[in-house]
């Protein structure tokens, strides 16, 4: 049985930066991108809780962003959505 752990997935922020929602007061495993997310889950198992950032790179706000909506199907860099669907 794996030990309980909590993932905070964000390319720039840390849990203490989040003010718009109440996060559990726990030690967080902070991961910054899709590869690190997958590696962490591979090594530690499924986490108890994941706080996802939907965009993991500035490219997600460029030409791929149409009227405020991210076109996930045409991104080359994985997003928080990609991480969520990989679990």
């Amino acid at each position: 049985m794996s030990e309980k752990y909590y993932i905070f997935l964000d390319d720039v922020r840390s849990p203490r930066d989040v003010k718009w929602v109440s996060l559990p007061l726990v030690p967080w495993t902070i991961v910054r991108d899709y590869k690190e997310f997958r590696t962490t889950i591979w090594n530690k198992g499924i986490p108890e809780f994941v706080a996802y950032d939907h965009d993991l790179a500035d490219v997600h706000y460029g030409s791929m962003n149409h009227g405020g909506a991210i076109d996930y199907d045409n991104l080359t860099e994985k997003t928080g959505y990609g991480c969520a669907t990989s679990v």
Side-chain angles (χ1 to χ4, degrees):
M1 186 82 177
S2 298
E3 185 177 324
K4 282 186 186 180
Y5 76 104
Y6 300 76
I7 288 181
F8 184 84
L9 171 67
D10 196 300
D11 55 327
V12 294
R13 287 180 286 274
S14 18
R16 69 178 172 274
D17 298 327
V18 175
K19 306 293 186 217
W20 52 92
V21 66
S22 296
L23 294 175
L25 299 174
V26 297
W28 290 94
T29 299
I30 298 173
V31 297
R32 299 296 184 193
D33 58 31
Y34 178 81
K35 183 178 179 184
E36 194 175 353
F37 178 83
R38 294 291 306 237
T39 299
T40 300
I41 288 181
W42 179 261
N43 292 332
K44 297 178 88 169
I46 301 296
E48 182 76 16
F49 184 93
V50 180
Y52 291 98
D53 182 20
H54 73 287
D55 62 320
L56 296 177
D58 290 339
V59 69
H60 301 150
Y61 290 108
S63 61
M64 300 305 290
N65 184 334
H66 304 285
I70 296 173
D71 186 2
Y72 291 103
D73 293 330
N74 292 308
L75 294 175
T76 56
E77 181 157 349
K78 298 288 187 178
T79 65
Y81 174 79
C83 291
T85 59
S86 73
V87 176

